[in-house]
Amino acid sequence: MLELRGVTAGYGRTRVLEDVDVVVEQGGAAAIMGHNGAGKTTLLRVAVGLLPVMKGRVLLDGQDVTRLRPSARVRRGLGYVPQGQLSFPQMTTLENLQLVTTEKAAIDEVLDTFPALRGLLPRRAGLLSGGQRQQLSIARTLLTRPRMLILDEPTEGIQPNVVAEIESVITDLTRRGDLSVLLVEQHVGFALRATQSYYVLESGRITSSGEGGPGAVDAVRAAMAV
């Protein structure tokens, strides 16, 4: 479970987030949506510990982690997949996974989650498609066995069939009940299908929130059109 309570944050004297409250329930998934510049990535940086808060608290499984470094939050079960399909391009797909662990059973488990990667293990990550690199990035993070997974724009610039696979993975992982997911996403339909709740961020403030699902699409689009 992840909670951001009354979070105000920014860069220097510039405030980007103002008194933001976001809750991701245990075993649930929540989406943060909004236009470019709304403060979505800043919110994730606060959650991960890459940006300190000016005011407010960050709690992970009920424990205050506001002052903890990112590495300490990872040890407590936080996983982060940043925007941009990041990988080590000169290393093979397998070597990218082995940076986290060389345990064969653990690697086999994430390959079961993303079976398309099995045939790509000897290929250099820099030669993979954007969608394949995104799957690799998520798989590498899952090897840390997080209880809270944070995804920043997981569908950006990738082909529709891979978007569907990522949606299926998020749904399957949260259905088990031992993993929670917070994602920032521009694709409204994907975000609401993959999550149970949503927050719309506008100019650093939450302007709308509610239950996810396809029935919320019109409400979210209306909130983002304001």
Side-chain angles (χ1 to χ4, degrees):
M1 181 176 182
L2 177 70
E3 301 171 74
L4 282 75
R5 297 294 188 182
V7 166
T8 296
Y11 305 91
R13 295 183 179 181
T14 303
R15 293 188 174 192
V16 178
L17 300 175
E18 192 72 48
D19 199 26
V20 169
D21 288 310
V22 169
V23 176
V24 187
E25 298 291 347
Q26 176 66 36
I32 305 292
M33 290 172 283
H35 298 295
N36 290 335
K40 302 186 300 297
T41 295
T42 298
L43 186 148
L44 295 193
R45 288 174 60 84
V46 167
V48 174
L50 295 172
L51 183 68
V53 301
M54 297 175 177
K55 186 177 68 175
R57 296 192 302 160
V58 180
L59 296 97
L60 185 62
D61 291 334
Q63 300 297 310
D64 193 331
V65 298
T66 310
R67 305 300 172 191
L68 293 186
R69 296 176 180 272
S71 57
R73 298 187 196 196
V74 169
R75 287 194 293 273
R76 291 190 179 211
L78 190 67
Y80 177 46
V81 181
Q83 189 175 10
Q85 303 118 32
L86 299 182
S87 65
F88 296 91
Q90 297 305 315
M91 301 176 70
T92 67
T93 299
L94 178 59
E95 288 168 341
N96 268 264
L97 297 174
Q98 289 175 333
L99 286 171
V100 180
T101 181
T102 57
E103 183 184 340
K104 185 177 184 301
I107 292 175
D108 281 341
E109 185 176 342
V110 297
L111 292 176
D112 286 341
T113 302
F114 291 108
L117 294 178
R118 284 193 182 276
L120 303 170
L121 292 179
R123 186 176 301 181
R124 284 193 302 174
L127 300 178
L128 302 181
S129 69
Q132 291 165 344
R133 287 196 306 275
Q134 185 66 288
Q135 291 180 80
L136 175 58
S137 184
I138 298 173
R140 194 172 56 233
T141 302
L142 289 176
L143 282 173
T144 68
R145 298 192 180 281
R147 295 190 306 279
M148 180 73 227
L149 179 64
I150 295 180
L151 303 166
D152 192 357
E153 300 281 8
T155 70
E156 183 183 39
I158 62 177
Q159 55 269 44
N161 64 309
V162 179
V163 171
E165 290 179 20
I166 292 173
E167 178 184 331
S168 177
V169 166
I170 293 172
T171 302
D172 288 345
L173 290 173
T174 55
R175 186 181 293 126
R176 299 175 193 173
D178 56 356
L179 179 71
S180 305
V181 174
L182 176 65
L183 65 89
V184 157
E185 182 56 54
Q186 293 279 10
H187 191 308
V188 172
F190 164 83
L192 294 176
R193 288 193 304 270
T195 61
Q196 292 85 49
S197 62
Y198 72 86
Y199 297 85
V200 175
L201 195 62
E202 185 66 35
S203 299
R205 293 180 181 272
I206 300 296
T207 58
S208 179
S209 63
E211 294 184 0
V217 169
D218 288 343
V220 170
R221 287 179 174 159
M224 292 176 64
V226 173

